[in-house]
C-alpha cells in the first residue's frame, strides 16, 4: 500500500522445471494483478522456446507478443530476467541477450480513470507449470535531486540563516 511510480523495475532468476506429468515448462513475472483472472505477465516459456508478454482473462492466458531466445531455452536452467515497466509499456530482458517489449492499453475503471501497469500488485507465477524462482527484486529509480548547496561556513553571511533576532552569527573554523 505504498505509492509506486510510473516507472519501476523487477528482477528475478527464473528456472522452469522440466515438463512432466502433463505440466508445461514456463515461469513469469506477474504485474498489474487485479484478480486471479485479470493480470499481465512476462517471462519465458521453455515449451515454445520463446519470451512471452501477455495477459490473463477469465478463460485463458493470452500471449500478446513473443520473441525467440537465441539458441533455445532449457528446463532446469537459471535465466536472469529484468523487467522494466513504464506507464503502459513493458520490456523484458533475459540474460542481457534478448529483449521484448509491448505496450498495453490503459485500463479504464468504472469512474473513467485510466490506470497504467503500476496500479495492480506484482508477483511471480507459472501457467500449469512448475518453476524455481529466486533473487526477486522490485525497485524504483531514486527521485531526482531538486536542490543542492555546499556550504563551507567560512563567513557569517552564508545565506542559509536569517539574521538573528538579537546578537550575530560568527563563523570560526568552518563552524557557524
Amino acid at each position: 500500500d505504498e505509492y509506486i511510480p510510473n516507472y519501476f523495475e523487477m528482477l528475478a532468476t527464473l528456472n522452469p522445471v522440466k515438463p512432466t506429468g502433463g505440466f508445461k515448462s514456463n515461469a513469469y513475472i506477474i504485474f498489474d494483478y487485479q484478480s486471479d483472472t485479470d493480470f499481465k505477465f512476462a517471462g519465458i516459456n521453455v515449451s515454445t522456446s520463446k519470451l512471452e508478454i501477455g495477459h490473463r482473462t477469465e478463460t485463458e492466458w493470452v500471449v500478446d507478443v513473443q520473441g525467440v531466445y537465441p539458441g533455445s531455452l532449457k528446463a532446469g536452467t537459471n535465466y536472469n530476467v529484468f523487467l522494466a515497466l513504464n506507464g503502459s509499456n513493458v520490456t523484458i530482458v533475459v540474460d542481457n541477450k534478448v529483449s521484448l517489449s509491448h505496450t498495453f492499453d490503459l485500463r479504464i475503471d468504472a469512474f473513467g480513470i485510466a490506470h497504467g501497469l503500476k496500479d495492480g500488485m506484482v508477483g511471480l507465477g507459472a501457467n500449469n507449470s512448475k518453476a524455481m524462482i529466486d533473487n526477486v527484486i522490485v525497485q524504483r529509480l531514486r527521485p531526482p535531486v531538486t536542490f543542492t548547496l555546499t556550504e563551507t561556513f567560512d563567513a557569517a553571511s552564508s545565506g542559509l540563516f536569517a539574521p538573528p533576532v538579537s546578537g550575530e552569527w560568527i563563523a570560526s573554523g568552518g563552524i557557524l
Side-chain angles (χ1 to χ4, degrees), residues 10 26-43 52-64 83 85 90 102 104-105 107 116-128:
M10 296 181 67
N26 57 60
Y28 301 105
I29 295 176
I30 307 291
F31 52 96
D32 194 27
Y33 181 94
Q34 304 299 317
S35 73
D36 61 348
T37 59
D38 183 7
F39 59 83
K40 296 171 180 69
F41 62 90
E52 296 178 339
I53 299 174
H55 66 281
R56 176 75 163 99
T57 68
E58 288 188 23
T59 57
E60 65 183 329
W61 292 59
V62 177
V63 175
D64 294 311
L83 192 68
L85 298 112
V90 60
H102 180 67
F104 288 95
D105 292 334
R107 184 173 45 83
L117 301 175
K118 72 177 182 92
D119 291 337
M121 293 191 296
V122 298
L124 307 162
N127 179 12
N128 192 30

Side-chain angles (χ1 to χ4, degrees), residues 63-168:
V63 175
D64 294 311
V65 64
Q66 59 186 0
V68 178
Y69 186 82
S72 64
L73 294 168
K74 295 178 178 55
T77 303
N78 287 335
Y79 294 95
N80 295 310
V81 175
F82 169 81
L83 192 68
L85 298 112
N86 189 8
S88 64
N89 181 270
V90 60
T91 300
I92 183 171
V93 180
V94 179
D95 287 339
N96 289 327
K97 290 182 182 177
V98 63
S99 67
L100 182 66
S101 294
H102 180 67
T103 301
F104 288 95
D105 292 334
L106 294 173
R107 184 173 45 83
I108 309 297
D109 67 17
F111 302 103
I113 298 171
H115 297 272
L117 301 175
K118 72 177 182 92
D119 291 337
M121 293 191 296
V122 298
L124 307 162
N127 179 12
N128 192 30
S129 179
K130 296 178 181 179
M132 294 181 288
I133 301 172
D134 199 5
N135 305 321
V136 179
I137 299 171
V138 178
Q139 63 188 12
R140 63 181 173 87
L141 296 178
R142 181 186 307 198
V145 175
T146 57
F147 178 75
T148 302
L149 175 71
T150 302
E151 175 57 56
T152 61
F153 295 108
D154 289 335
S157 61
S158 70
L160 287 177
F161 303 104
V165 175
S166 63
E168 61 183 49

